[in-house]
Coordinates of all heavy atoms in Angstrom, one line a residue:
V866 N 0.4 11.0 -8.2 CA 1.0 12.1 -7.6 C 1.4 13.1 -8.6 O 1.1 14.3 -8.4 CB 2.2 11.7 -6.8 CG1 3.1 12.9 -6.3 CG2 1.7 10.8 -5.6
V867 N 1.9 12.7 -9.7 CA 2.3 13.7 -10.7 C 1.2 14.4 -11.3 O 1.1 15.6 -11.6 CB 3.2 13.0 -11.9 CG1 3.5 13.9 -13.0 CG2 4.6 12.5 -11.2
A868 N 0.1 13.6 -11.6 CA -1.2 14.1 -12.1 C -1.7 15.2 -11.2 O -2.2 16.3 -11.6 CB -2.2 13.1 -12.5
A869 N -1.7 14.9 -9.9 CA -2.3 15.7 -8.9 C -1.4 17.0 -8.8 O -1.9 18.1 -8.8 CB -2.4 15.1 -7.6
A870 N -0.1 16.9 -8.6 CA 0.7 18.0 -8.6 C 0.5 18.9 -9.7 O 0.5 20.2 -9.7 CB 2.1 17.6 -8.3
S871 N 0.6 18.3 -11.0 CA 0.4 19.1 -12.2 C -0.9 19.8 -12.3 O -1.0 20.8 -13.0 CB 0.7 18.2 -13.4 OG 1.8 17.5 -13.3
A872 N -1.8 19.3 -11.6 CA -3.2 20.1 -11.5 C -3.2 21.0 -10.4 O -4.2 21.6 -10.0 CB -4.3 19.0 -11.3
G873 N -2.1 21.2 -9.7 CA -1.9 22.2 -8.7 C -2.5 21.7 -7.4 O -2.7 22.6 -6.4
L874 N -2.7 20.5 -7.1 CA -3.1 19.9 -5.9 C -2.0 19.5 -5.0 O -0.9 18.9 -5.4 CB -4.1 18.7 -6.1 CG -5.3 19.0 -7.2 CD1 -6.0 17.8 -7.2 CD2 -6.0 20.2 -6.7
H875 N -2.1 19.8 -3.7 CA -1.2 19.3 -2.6 C -1.5 17.7 -2.5 O -2.5 17.3 -2.7 CB -1.5 20.0 -1.3 CG -1.5 21.4 -1.4 ND1 -0.3 22.1 -1.5 CD2 -2.4 22.4 -1.4 CE1 -0.5 23.4 -1.6 NE2 -1.8 23.6 -1.5
V876 N -0.5 17.0 -2.3 CA -0.6 15.6 -2.2 C 0.1 14.9 -1.0 O 1.2 15.2 -0.7 CB 0.2 14.9 -3.5 CG1 -0.4 13.5 -3.7 CG2 -0.1 15.6 -4.8
L877 N -0.7 14.0 -0.4 CA -0.2 13.2 0.7 C -0.2 11.7 0.2 O -1.4 11.2 -0.1 CB -0.9 13.3 2.0 CG -0.4 12.4 3.1 CD1 1.0 12.8 3.4 CD2 -1.3 12.7 4.3
C878 N 0.9 11.1 -0.1 CA 0.9 9.7 -0.6 C 1.2 8.6 0.3 O 2.2 8.9 1.1 CB 1.9 9.7 -1.8 SG 2.1 8.1 -2.8
E879 N 0.6 7.5 0.2 CA 0.9 6.4 1.0 C 2.3 6.0 0.8 O 2.9 6.1 -0.2 CB -0.1 5.2 0.9 CG -1.2 5.2 1.8 CD -0.8 5.1 3.3 OE1 0.3 4.7 3.5 OE2 -1.7 5.3 4.2
K880 N 2.9 5.3 1.8 CA 4.4 4.7 1.7 C 4.1 3.4 0.8 O 3.0 2.9 0.7 CB 4.9 4.3 3.0 CG 4.0 3.4 4.0 CD 3.3 2.2 3.6 CE 4.0 1.0 3.2 NZ 3.1 -0.2 3.1
P881 N 5.2 2.9 0.2 CA 6.6 3.6 -0.1 C 6.3 4.7 -1.0 O 5.3 4.6 -1.8 CB 7.5 2.5 -0.6 CG 6.5 1.6 -1.3 CD 5.2 1.7 -0.5
I882 N 7.2 5.8 -1.2 CA 6.9 6.9 -2.1 C 6.7 6.3 -3.5 O 5.8 6.7 -4.2 CB 8.1 7.9 -2.0 CG1 7.9 9.0 -3.0 CG2 9.5 7.2 -2.2 CD1 8.9 10.2 -2.9
A883 N 7.5 5.3 -3.9 CA 7.4 4.7 -5.3 C 8.2 3.5 -5.2 O 8.6 3.0 -4.1 CB 8.0 5.6 -6.3
V884 N 8.3 2.8 -6.3 CA 9.0 1.5 -6.3 C 10.4 1.7 -6.9 O 11.2 0.7 -7.0 CB 8.3 0.3 -7.0 CG1 7.1 0.0 -6.2 CG2 7.9 0.7 -8.3
D885 N 10.8 2.7 -7.6 CA 12.2 3.0 -8.0 C 12.5 4.5 -7.7 O 11.7 5.3 -7.8 CB 12.4 2.5 -9.4 CG 11.6 3.1 -10.5 OD1 12.0 4.3 -10.7 OD2 10.6 2.8 -10.9
L886 N 13.8 4.7 -7.6 CA 14.3 6.0 -7.3 C 14.0 7.1 -8.4 O 13.6 8.2 -8.1 CB 15.8 6.0 -7.0 CG 16.1 5.4 -5.7 CD1 17.6 5.3 -5.4 CD2 15.4 6.1 -4.6
A887 N 14.0 6.5 -9.7 CA 13.7 7.5 -10.8 C 12.3 8.1 -10.6 O 12.0 9.2 -10.9 CB 14.0 6.8 -12.1
A888 N 11.4 7.1 -10.3 CA 9.9 7.6 -10.2 C 9.8 8.5 -9.0 O 9.1 9.6 -9.0 CB 9.1 6.3 -9.9
A889 N 10.5 8.2 -7.8 CA 10.5 9.1 -6.7 C 11.0 10.5 -7.1 O 10.3 11.5 -6.7 CB 11.2 8.6 -5.5
D890 N 12.1 10.6 -7.8 CA 12.6 11.9 -8.2 C 11.7 12.7 -9.1 O 11.5 13.9 -9.0 CB 13.9 11.7 -8.8 CG 15.0 11.2 -7.8 OD1 14.8 11.4 -6.6 OD2 16.0 10.6 -8.2
R891 N 11.0 11.9 -9.9 CA 10.0 12.6 -10.9 C 8.9 13.1 -10.0 O 8.4 14.2 -10.3 CB 9.5 11.7 -12.0 CG 10.5 11.3 -13.0 CD 9.8 10.6 -14.2 NE 9.4 9.2 -13.8 CZ 10.2 8.1 -14.0 NH1 11.4 8.2 -14.4 NH2 9.7 7.0 -13.7
M892 N 8.4 12.4 -9.0 CA 7.3 12.8 -8.1 C 7.8 14.1 -7.4 O 7.0 15.1 -7.3 CB 6.9 11.7 -7.2 CG 6.4 10.5 -7.9 SD 6.5 9.0 -6.9 CE 5.0 9.2 -5.8
I893 N 8.9 14.1 -6.8 CA 9.5 15.2 -6.0 C 9.6 16.4 -6.9 O 9.3 17.5 -6.6 CB 10.9 14.9 -5.3 CG1 10.7 13.7 -4.3 CG2 11.5 16.0 -4.8 CD1 11.8 13.0 -3.8
A894 N 10.1 16.2 -8.2 CA 10.3 17.3 -9.1 C 8.9 17.9 -9.5 O 8.8 19.1 -9.6 CB 11.0 16.8 -10.2
A895 N 7.9 16.9 -9.8 CA 6.6 17.5 -10.1 C 6.0 18.4 -9.0 O 5.4 19.5 -9.3 CB 5.7 16.4 -10.4
A896 N 6.2 18.0 -7.7 CA 5.6 18.8 -6.6 C 6.4 20.2 -6.5 O 5.8 21.2 -6.3 CB 5.7 18.0 -5.4
D897 N 7.8 20.0 -6.6 CA 8.6 21.3 -6.6 C 8.1 22.2 -7.7 O 8.0 23.4 -7.6 CB 10.1 21.0 -6.8 CG 10.7 20.4 -5.6 OD1 10.1 20.3 -4.4 OD2 12.0 20.0 -5.7
T898 N 8.0 21.7 -9.0 CA 7.7 22.6 -10.0 C 6.3 23.3 -9.9 O 6.2 24.5 -10.2 CB 7.7 21.7 -11.3 OG1 8.9 21.1 -11.5 CG2 7.4 22.6 -12.6
A899 N 5.4 22.5 -9.3 CA 4.0 23.0 -9.2 C 4.0 23.9 -7.9 O 2.9 24.6 -7.7 CB 3.0 21.9 -9.0
G900 N 4.9 23.7 -7.1 CA 4.9 24.5 -5.7 C 3.9 24.0 -4.8 O 3.3 24.8 -4.0
V901 N 3.6 22.7 -4.8 CA 2.5 22.2 -4.0 C 3.2 21.4 -2.8 O 4.4 21.0 -2.9 CB 1.6 21.2 -4.6 CG1 0.8 21.9 -5.7 CG2 2.3 20.0 -5.3
T902 N 2.5 21.3 -1.7 CA 3.0 20.5 -0.6 C 2.9 19.0 -0.9 O 1.9 18.5 -1.4 CB 2.1 20.8 0.6 OG1 2.2 22.1 0.9 CG2 2.6 20.0 1.9
F903 N 4.0 18.2 -0.7 CA 4.1 16.9 -1.1 C 4.6 16.0 0.2 O 5.7 16.3 0.7 CB 5.0 16.5 -2.2 CG 5.1 15.1 -2.6 CD1 4.1 14.1 -2.3 CD2 6.4 14.7 -3.2 CE1 4.4 12.8 -2.7 CE2 6.6 13.4 -3.5 CZ 5.5 12.4 -3.2
G904 N 3.7 15.2 0.8 CA 4.1 14.5 1.9 C 3.9 13.0 1.6 O 3.1 12.6 0.8
V905 N 4.6 12.2 2.4 CA 4.4 10.7 2.3 C 4.1 10.0 3.7 O 4.7 10.5 4.8 CB 5.7 9.9 1.7 CG1 5.5 8.5 1.7 CG2 6.0 10.6 0.3
L906 N 3.2 9.2 3.7 CA 2.6 8.7 4.9 C 3.5 7.6 5.6 O 3.7 6.5 5.1 CB 1.2 8.0 4.7 CG 0.2 8.7 5.6 CD1 -1.1 8.8 5.0 CD2 0.2 8.1 7.0
F907 N 4.1 8.0 6.7 CA 4.8 7.0 7.6 C 4.4 7.4 9.0 O 5.0 8.1 9.8 CB 6.4 7.3 7.5 CG 6.9 6.7 6.2 CD1 7.3 7.3 5.2 CD2 7.1 5.4 6.2 CE1 7.8 6.8 4.0 CE2 7.6 4.6 5.0 CZ 8.0 5.5 4.0
Q908 N 3.2 6.9 9.2 CA 2.4 7.2 10.5 C 3.2 6.7 11.7 O 3.0 7.3 12.9 CB 1.0 6.8 10.5 CG 0.8 5.4 10.7 CD 0.9 4.4 9.6 OE1 1.5 4.8 8.6 NE2 0.5 3.2 9.6
R909 N 4.0 5.8 11.6 CA 4.8 5.2 12.8 C 5.6 6.3 13.4 O 6.1 6.2 14.6 CB 5.4 3.9 12.5 CG 4.4 2.8 12.4 CD 5.1 1.6 11.8 NE 4.3 0.4 12.0 CZ 3.4 0.0 11.0 NH1 3.0 0.8 10.1 NH2 2.8 -1.2 11.3
R910 N 6.0 7.3 12.7 CA 6.9 8.4 13.2 C 6.1 9.2 14.2 O 6.7 9.9 15.1 CB 7.3 9.4 12.1 CG 8.3 9.0 11.2 CD 9.0 10.1 10.5 NE 9.8 9.7 9.4 CZ 10.7 10.6 8.8 NH1 10.7 11.8 9.2 NH2 11.4 10.1 7.8
F911 N 4.8 9.1 14.3 CA 3.9 9.8 15.3 C 3.6 9.0 16.5 O 3.1 9.6 17.4 CB 2.7 10.2 14.6 CG 2.8 11.4 13.6 CD1 3.4 11.2 12.3 CD2 2.6 12.8 13.9 CE1 3.6 12.2 11.5 CE2 2.7 13.7 13.0 CZ 3.3 13.4 11.8
W912 N 4.2 7.8 16.6 CA 4.1 7.1 18.0 C 4.9 7.9 18.9 O 6.0 8.3 18.7 CB 4.8 5.8 17.8 CG 4.0 4.8 17.2 CD1 2.7 4.4 17.2 CD2 4.6 3.6 16.5 NE1 2.4 3.4 16.6 CE2 3.5 2.7 16.2 CE3 6.0 3.2 16.2 CZ2 3.8 1.5 15.5 CZ3 6.1 2.0 15.5 CH2 5.0 1.2 15.2
P913 N 4.4 8.0 20.2 CA 5.2 8.7 21.2 C 6.4 8.0 21.4 O 7.6 8.7 21.7 CB 4.3 8.6 22.5 CG 2.8 8.6 21.9 CD 2.9 7.8 20.5
A914 N 6.5 6.7 21.3 CA 7.9 5.9 21.5 C 8.9 6.3 20.4 O 10.0 6.4 20.8 CB 7.5 4.5 21.5
A915 N 8.4 6.6 19.2 CA 9.4 6.9 18.2 C 9.8 8.5 18.5 O 11.0 8.8 18.2 CB 8.7 6.9 16.8
Q916 N 8.9 9.4 18.7 CA 9.1 10.7 19.0 C 10.2 10.8 20.2 O 11.0 11.7 20.2 CB 7.9 11.5 19.3 CG 6.8 11.5 18.2 CD 6.9 12.6 17.3 OE1 7.4 13.7 17.6 NE2 6.4 12.5 16.0
R917 N 10.0 9.9 21.2 CA 10.8 10.0 22.4 C 12.2 9.7 22.0 O 13.2 10.2 22.4 CB 10.3 8.9 23.4 CG 11.0 9.0 24.7 CD 10.4 8.1 25.7 NE 11.0 8.0 27.1 CZ 11.1 7.1 27.8 NH1 10.6 5.9 27.5 NH2 11.7 7.2 28.9
I918 N 12.5 8.6 21.1 CA 13.8 8.3 20.7 C 14.4 9.5 19.9 O 15.6 9.9 20.0 CB 13.8 7.0 19.7 CG1 13.3 5.7 20.6 CG2 15.2 6.7 19.2 CD1 13.3 4.5 19.8
R919 N 13.6 10.1 18.9 CA 14.1 11.2 18.1 C 14.5 12.3 19.1 O 15.5 12.9 18.9 CB 13.0 11.6 17.1 CG 13.3 12.6 16.1 CD 14.4 12.3 15.3 NE 15.6 13.1 15.5 CZ 16.8 13.0 14.8 NH1 16.9 12.2 13.9 NH2 17.8 13.7 15.2
A920 N 13.7 12.5 20.1 CA 13.9 13.7 21.0 C 15.3 13.4 21.8 O 16.0 14.3 22.1 CB 12.7 13.9 22.0
A921 N 15.5 12.1 22.3 CA 16.6 11.7 23.0 C 17.9 11.9 22.1 O 19.0 12.4 22.7 CB 16.6 10.2 23.5
I922 N 17.7 11.7 20.9 CA 18.9 11.9 19.9 C 19.2 13.4 19.9 O 20.3 13.9 20.0 CB 18.6 11.2 18.6 CG1 18.6 9.7 18.7 CG2 19.7 11.7 17.6 CD1 18.0 9.1 17.4
D923 N 18.1 14.1 19.6 CA 18.2 15.6 19.4 C 18.8 16.2 20.7 O 19.7 17.2 20.6 CB 16.9 16.3 19.2 CG 16.3 15.8 17.7 OD1 17.2 15.5 16.9 OD2 15.2 16.0 17.5
D924 N 18.4 15.8 21.9 CA 18.9 16.4 23.2 C 20.2 15.9 23.4 O 20.8 16.3 24.6 CB 18.0 15.9 24.3 CG 16.5 16.5 24.1 OD1 16.3 17.3 23.2 OD2 15.7 16.0 24.8
G925 N 20.9 15.0 22.7 CA 22.2 14.4 23.1 C 22.2 13.5 24.2 O 23.2 13.2 24.7
R926 N 21.0 13.0 24.6 CA 20.9 12.0 25.8 C 21.6 10.7 25.6 O 21.8 10.1 26.5 CB 19.5 12.1 26.3 CG 19.2 13.3 27.2 CD 17.7 13.1 27.7 NE 16.8 13.2 26.8 CZ 15.6 12.6 26.8 NH1 15.3 11.8 27.7 NH2 14.8 12.7 25.8
I927 N 21.5 10.3 24.3 CA 22.2 8.9 24.1 C 23.5 9.2 23.3 O 24.2 8.2 22.9 CB 21.3 7.9 23.2 CG1 21.2 8.4 21.8 CG2 19.9 7.9 23.9 CD1 20.6 7.3 20.8
G928 N 24.0 10.5 23.2 CA 25.2 10.8 22.4 C 24.9 10.6 20.9 O 23.8 10.7 20.5
Q929 N 25.9 10.4 20.2 CA 25.8 10.2 18.7 C 25.4 8.8 18.4 O 25.9 7.8 18.9 CB 27.1 10.5 18.1 CG 27.3 10.2 16.6 CD 26.7 11.3 15.8 OE1 26.6 12.4 16.2 NE2 26.3 11.0 14.5
P930 N 24.2 8.7 17.7 CA 23.8 7.2 17.4 C 24.9 6.6 16.5 O 25.4 7.1 15.5 CB 22.4 7.5 16.4 CG 22.0 8.8 16.8 CD 23.3 9.6 17.0
I931 N 25.2 5.3 17.0 CA 26.3 4.7 16.2 C 26.0 3.3 15.8 O 26.6 2.8 14.8 CB 27.6 4.5 17.1 CG1 27.2 4.0 18.5 CG2 28.3 5.7 17.3 CD1 28.4 3.7 19.4
L932 N 24.8 2.7 16.2 CA 24.4 1.4 15.9 C 22.9 1.3 15.8 O 22.3 1.9 16.7 CB 24.9 0.4 17.0 CG 24.9 -1.0 16.7 CD1 25.9 -1.3 15.6 CD2 25.4 -1.8 18.0
G933 N 22.3 0.7 14.8 CA 20.9 0.6 14.7 C 20.5 -0.9 14.4 O 21.3 -1.6 13.8
E934 N 19.2 -1.2 14.7 CA 18.8 -2.6 14.4 C 17.3 -2.5 14.1 O 16.6 -1.9 14.8 CB 19.0 -3.4 15.6 CG 18.8 -4.9 15.4 CD 19.0 -5.7 16.8 OE1 19.8 -5.2 17.6 OE2 18.3 -6.7 16.8
V935 N 16.9 -3.2 13.0 CA 15.5 -3.2 12.6 C 15.2 -4.9 12.6 O 15.9 -5.5 11.9 CB 15.3 -2.7 11.3 CG1 13.9 -3.2 10.7 CG2 15.3 -1.2 11.3
T936 N 14.2 -5.2 13.3 CA 13.7 -6.6 13.3 C 12.3 -6.6 12.9 O 11.4 -5.8 13.5 CB 13.8 -7.2 14.5 OG1 15.3 -7.2 14.9 CG2 13.6 -8.8 14.4
V937 N 11.9 -7.2 11.7 CA 10.5 -7.3 11.3 C 10.1 -8.9 11.3 O 10.7 -9.5 10.4 CB 10.2 -6.6 10.0 CG1 9.0 -6.9 9.4 CG2 10.6 -5.1 10.1
Q938 N 9.3 -9.3 12.2 CA 9.0 -10.6 12.2 C 7.6 -10.9 12.2 O 6.9 -11.1 13.1 CB 9.5 -11.3 13.6 CG 11.1 -11.5 13.6 CD 11.6 -12.0 14.8 OE1 11.3 -11.6 15.9 NE2 12.2 -13.2 14.7
L939 N 7.0 -10.7 10.9 CA 5.6 -10.7 10.8 C 5.0 -12.0 10.2 O 5.8 -12.9 9.8 CB 5.2 -9.5 9.8 CG 5.7 -8.2 10.1 CD1 5.2 -7.2 9.1 CD2 5.1 -7.9 11.6

Side-chain angles (χ1 to χ4, degrees):
V866 169
V867 170
S871 306
L874 306 182
H875 306 289
V876 196
L877 180 61
C878 181
E879 269 296 347
K880 51 48 64 169
I882 179 172
V884 291
D885 66 75
L886 288 174
D890 290 340
R891 288 190 292 269
M892 294 158 79
I893 293 166
D897 281 355
T898 303
V901 297
T902 302
F903 176 32
V905 178
L906 235 148
F907 281 105
Q908 77 277 19
R909 284 167 169 86
R910 285 201 193 191
F911 285 78
W912 278 329
Q916 299 266 336
R917 187 180 181 208
I918 295 176
R919 185 61 253 177
I922 293 168
D923 290 342
D924 298 347
R926 278 183 293 149
I927 69 166
Q929 174 79 20
I931 48 175
L932 198 62
E934 188 184 333
V935 161
T936 308
V937 170
Q938 286 180 300
L939 303 180

